[in-house]
Amino acid sequence: MPARATDARRAAVLGKPIAHSLSPVLHRAAYDELGLTDWSYERFEVDEAGLPGFFEKLGPEWAGLSLTMPLKRAVIPLVDEISETAASVDAVNTVVFAEDGRRIGDNTDIPGMVAALREHGIEQVGSAAILGAGATASSALAALARICTGEVVAYVRSEARAAEMRQWGERLDVEVRTADWADAEQALRAPLVIATTPAGTTDALAAAVPERPATLFDVLYEPWPTELAARWSMSGGAVVSGLDLLVHQAVLQVEQMTGRSPAPLDAMRRAGEKALAAR
């Protein structure tokens, strides 16, 4: 049932650390645009140990929660059901509180990635490369399961990480081959490169960007642009940013929590860009 503008409802993002989160900026911009004047969206620093206690204190005024690291798996035992998308990667980044009291977990990162790529004209690719093998890399694999028709090569630093990525590939029905990080320059020739590593990790690859690069999806948004993204863009390649991902996954969260669709994508993006520029 769609929310009414007079409903006083609460939502928030949880994680640790959390002070850097842009989620409040994006969600509040959506509420303003949708006329939900009595809605609020806050941030709370919560770790895995404190998450059950936080849930116990939630009242009927709560509409939903956004979850970031390290809570995306810790929250699963605290919800009543999770979507197939969330189950596919054992990660929940969204909890919606239904009118009947059920807590429903979902993952908007995966469809958010697909939507961000689609916005940049990427509907389908024949192959792709992933830089990194952490939690975001598994979400990237799940996104590629929807749009990639061929092989995905994951560039990783250890055999343990390589084994994890191959396991994720089997689970998600994606053809995954792993390669050593020392050969990561080869990834840059792929039709789609998804960089899922922490800030600074891919800087050394910037000098190896080919003359005619295809598409780079760099999940970072601060600092932006990364050295790799800047060189990629200078060379004429298409670049999808972490802000693109953040906005698209937040759009889906707003729609689920408020019952209003479509969420105001452009207003949310402008708010995010303004907040980043102010930093």
Side-chain angles (χ1 to χ4, degrees), residues 53-266:
F54 187 92
F55 264 69
E56 288 175 4
K57 298 175 183 176
L58 298 178
E61 74 278 12
W62 282 88
L65 296 170
S66 307
L67 289 307
T68 186
M69 298 304 291
L71 305 178
K72 293 184 180 183
R73 288 187 177 151
V75 74
I76 292 176
L78 303 177
V79 299
D80 298 301
E81 62 181 86
I82 65 172
S83 67
E84 290 185 10
T85 301
S88 72
V89 290
D90 289 337
V92 166
N93 79 327
T94 307
V95 176
V96 175
F97 300 98
E99 290 186 358
D100 61 7
R102 285 178 305 132
R103 299 165 172 177
I104 304 168
D106 193 16
N107 186 309
T108 63
D109 287 331
I110 295 165
M113 283 186 176
V114 174
L117 286 165
R118 184 179 297 119
E119 186 179 39
H120 285 77
I122 308 298
E123 299 276 353
Q124 190 177 85
V125 291
S127 62
I130 295 178
L131 299 174
T136 306
S138 61
S139 291
L141 268 182
L144 288 171
R146 303 183 180 192
I147 67 166
C148 185
T149 60
E151 182 183 68
V152 176
V153 184
Y155 291 81
V156 300
R157 294 187 181 278
S158 71
E159 178 51 37
R161 289 292 197 179
E164 287 179 11
M165 288 299 283
R166 289 193 294 268
Q167 289 171 2
W168 279 117
E170 291 177 8
R171 180 169 172 174
L172 295 163
D173 197 24
V174 178
E175 182 185 349
V176 175
R177 178 167 62 87
T178 54
D180 192 273
W181 184 264
D183 299 321
E185 290 184 2
Q186 297 178 14
L188 309 186
R189 304 190 191 103
L192 172 62
V193 182
I194 304 181
T196 69
T197 53
T201 307
T202 61
D203 289 356
L205 298 176
V209 172
E211 287 186 10
R212 296 180 180 178
T215 300
L216 170 69
F217 191 162
D218 195 324
V219 303
L220 294 173
Y221 61 83
E222 191 175 21
W224 187 262
T226 62
E227 289 191 28
L228 179 61
R231 182 65 66 89
W232 198 278
S233 184
M234 287 174 58
S235 300
V239 176
V240 186
S241 75
L243 182 60
D244 292 323
L245 167 59
L246 191 66
V247 170
H248 277 283
Q249 66 83 27
V251 160
L252 296 170
Q253 289 184 334
V254 168
E255 290 175 352
Q256 290 188 29
M257 293 179 191
T258 67
R260 300 291 187 89
S261 182
L265 171 68
D266 291 341

